[in-house]
Amino acid sequence: MAIRTKLSNEDRDELTKDVNDLDKVYLEKMKEEGIDPRLLEQFKNLSVEMDKEKK
């Protein structure tokens, strides 16, 4: 059985502070792979907007 854990804000940096946990992991992996920071910011913004639309 999988256990879902919500990350605290202490575990987040400026790039990942507003995104959901799954997108946080994606952003961190893309950052490690050297993706352009501007593209990471775009991904973050899209993620936040999509989460707003769901609510």
Side-chain angles (χ1 to χ4, degrees):
M1 177 185 287
I3 298 174
R4 184 168 183 221
T5 304
K6 180 79 172 162
L7 297 173
S8 71
N9 286 335
E10 296 171 1
D11 298 332
R12 295 174 181 266
D13 60 11
E14 193 64 32
L15 181 63
T16 61
K17 72 177 183 175
D18 295 326
V19 298
N20 65 40
D21 292 346
L22 182 59
D23 288 338
K24 177 187 182 295
V25 173
Y26 289 146
L27 281 165
E28 289 174 343
K29 289 186 74 66
M30 289 188 290
K31 188 175 181 180
E32 288 173 7
E33 293 174 3
I35 301 295
D36 187 305
R38 292 175 294 173
L39 296 176
L40 296 174
E41 188 68 29
Q42 287 179 4
F43 181 88
K44 172 192 169 184
N45 293 337
L46 288 171
S47 174
V48 170
E49 287 300 316
M50 289 177 58
D51 282 344
K52 285 181 185 177
E53 289 179 9
K54 289 180 185 176
K55 296 178 180 176

